[in-house]
Amino acid sequence: MGHLLMVESWVGSMSRLLPRAIQEGGHSFTFLTRDLHHYLRGAPEGVRHPLLGARTVVNAETNDLDTLLPLAERLHTALGFDGVLTSCDYYLPAAARIAARLGLPGPPARAVTDACRKDATRRVLGRAGVPGPRFALCPDLPAARAAARDLGYPLVLKPVDLCAGMYVRRVADEDELAAAHEALAAFPVNARGQRREPAVLLEELLDGPEVSVETVSFAGHTHVVGVTDKSVAGAPAFIETGHMFPADLSEEALQGAVDTAVRALEALGLDDVVAHTEIKLTPGGPHVVEVNPRPAGNRITELVRHVTGVDLAAACVDVALGRAPRLAPRETGLRSAAIGFLVPEAAGTLDRIEGATGIAGEQGVLEANLPAPGATVRAGGSNNDYLGHIMAADPEGPGARRRVEQLLSGLHPRMVRR
């Protein structure tokens, strides 16, 4: 069977789902990382971390392509790889470059790089006529102020090279623009030790519900697995508070989202990739928010699997190996599945979560992941700051979101009093 080179990973659910899919497919992997302890810090107690199931673990500098590419060649000569993959946004371009260098299957490196840079995505899609917000790339605050006056408030300020909603802020005037710009400037290096691009992206604020289109592209054909809806809160931040699959929308709205997502993938030149494309359904029609050339996060892949039986993590492995992915849906007995996240309002130390006792056994619950007393809590500012989640399903129709919201409404985090 296949032997994959995995270049870094996430510390969340995908760090478990991807190794599981590799193992269940009868494959093996070599794990390449600059800091293994980054992953072991997040390992659950009493459970062997999935990344330690690697055939080989290699410690090397993954942030320097000039070092990484020759190293990958030497490893390939010694170990023999059949594919390259990663689940971490910050290493998607590197994985594509390595695959190309080794002559292995993989998406076009230029397309992946463009998709991972928000400003490049805007330029490529704009040239192709794919609908998106008006935008401006601003090298510094004076340029951002001038661009904001031209675009008109309210606006969205974004880093061009971060993910998980980090430092994405709604700004309504020059004071909020300056505050958001200053906060982002104070974060010059990301969590993987990579120096950030200081330029910021200003975008027109789009109105309307947001969805994501889950796709698998292989050998020139894009297969649409389905459309997921999204709830957002935490203004002026944009924190994803929940998802449901499939989205409960009209056929016209669903088709509009699908068509726009496929056009975006084609414009970027993405192929041989599992993708998660975010679409805003505005009064003027669907507009692209982002194109992510990897499986969806926030356990959306698990929502899809529960409803359709399609395993997007396994599809990611298949595509990386150059094999046709298994995408035929099967009957699961569920018509919708949803996840809701508990977003903390303030930082502190968790004393307890009132209402959590027995919630895992409630009707329809698929998962209940809540922290134990004593956990350190960060105030919600991005999708990295959740306090826990509940996942539930509906066997009859689109009621999963309502069930999750009902369950979450009964949870009340209490912090240690100082």
Side-chain angles (χ1 to χ4, degrees):
M1 303 301 282
H3 180 201
L4 290 134
L5 174 63
M6 186 187 297
V7 184
E8 304 286 4
S9 178
W10 279 122
V11 295
S13 62
M14 195 53 68
S15 71
R16 291 157 176 77
L17 295 176
L18 206 53
R20 182 211 72 198
I22 292 171
Q23 182 180 26
E24 290 181 355
H27 311 301
S28 63
F29 69 99
T30 286
F31 186 53
L32 180 60
T33 179
R34 65 194 300 269
D35 180 12
L36 185 60
H37 293 288
H38 180 85
Y39 303 95
L40 299 183
R41 286 193 295 268
E45 292 185 12
V47 178
R48 186 169 184 259
H49 197 290
L51 294 177
L52 294 181
R55 178 196 294 186
T56 310
V57 175
V58 179
N59 182 249
E61 181 52 74
T62 53
N63 287 344
D64 180 6
L65 267 179
D66 290 339
T67 301
L68 184 59
L69 291 174
L71 171 65
E73 286 186 317
R74 294 195 297 274
L75 290 174
H76 184 43
T77 298
L79 302 174
F81 302 124
D82 301 294
V84 184
L85 81 176
T86 183
S87 66
C88 181
D89 294 55
Y90 301 138
Y91 296 97
L92 289 165
R97 287 282 300 275
I98 292 171
R101 181 77 164 254
L102 302 184
L104 297 174
R110 179 73 261 168
V112 172
T113 301
D114 286 343
C116 290
R117 279 280 303 226
K118 296 177 176 64
D119 55 325
T121 299
R122 288 279 171 254
R123 287 192 294 270
V124 172
L125 298 190
R127 288 195 297 267
V130 179
R134 293 180 299 127
F135 70 96
L137 180 66
C138 309
D140 51 34
L141 183 56
R145 287 194 174 108
R149 287 191 290 270
D150 180 54
L151 290 170
Y153 292 101
L155 295 166
V156 178
L157 180 144
K158 290 182 176 181
V160 299
D161 51 5
L162 290 177
C163 53
M166 293 183 67
Y167 294 95
V168 179
R169 296 294 183 267
R170 182 187 190 276
V171 294
D173 54 38
E174 282 205 4
D175 289 342
E176 291 185 3
L177 175 68
H181 194 282
E182 181 180 352
L184 179 56
F187 189 72
V189 178
N190 69 24
R192 299 310 182 96
Q194 298 169 337
R195 182 156 294 277
R196 291 192 46 259
E197 167 61 50
V200 301
L201 193 62
L202 286 186
E203 294 182 353
E204 169 191 14
L205 180 67
L206 299 174
D207 292 323
E210 188 171 331
V211 300
S212 61
V213 182
E214 322 308 337
T215 57
V216 181
S217 299
F218 180 72
H221 172 73
T222 294
H223 177 91
V224 177
V225 177
V227 179
T228 312
D229 74 10
K230 178 186 300 187
S231 56
V232 179
F238 295 83
I239 303 174
E240 297 177 3
T241 58
H243 304 276
M244 185 172 77
F245 183 91
D248 186 20
L249 296 169
S250 69
E251 283 300 319
E252 180 182 5
L254 289 171
Q255 193 60 53
V258 165
D259 291 345
T260 303
V262 172
R263 286 182 61 195
L265 295 172
E266 291 174 347
L268 285 162
L270 284 168
D271 192 15
D272 297 326
V273 69
V274 178
H276 167 73
T277 303
E278 296 170 335
I279 304 287
K280 200 83 165 179
L281 301 176
T282 78
H287 285 57
V288 174
V289 177
E290 289 183 4
V291 180
N292 300 283
R294 42 84 178 160
N298 272 355
R299 298 192 71 74
I300 290 173
T301 54
E302 290 300 272
L303 301 182
V304 172
R305 185 178 62 83
H306 280 302
V307 175
T308 70
V310 174
D311 188 336
L312 288 171
C316 185
V317 172
D318 287 335
V319 168
L321 290 168
R323 302 179 182 188
R326 294 155 290 179
L327 301 174
R330 60 178 174 81
E331 180 57 50
T332 66
L334 301 178
R335 294 295 173 263
S336 65
I339 189 168
F341 299 98
L342 200 57
V343 180
E345 297 180 356
T349 301
L350 183 67
D351 179 52
R352 65 193 186 280
I353 300 179
E354 293 180 355
T357 303
I359 199 165
E362 290 283 346
Q363 182 180 1
V365 172
L366 300 172
E367 294 179 10
N369 187 347
L370 299 170
T376 300
V377 179
R378 296 188 300 182
S382 74
N383 300 338
N384 293 325
D385 300 325
Y386 300 132
L387 191 53
H389 72 258
I390 295 174
M391 184 187 295
D394 181 0
E396 298 180 355
R401 175 185 287 282
R402 289 190 298 275
R403 182 59 176 148
V404 165
E405 290 174 347
Q406 178 189 36
L407 293 165
L408 282 176
S409 69
L411 299 181
H412 305 285
R414 304 301 185 199
M415 301 300 174
V416 173
R417 292 185 179 181
R418 299 188 183 278

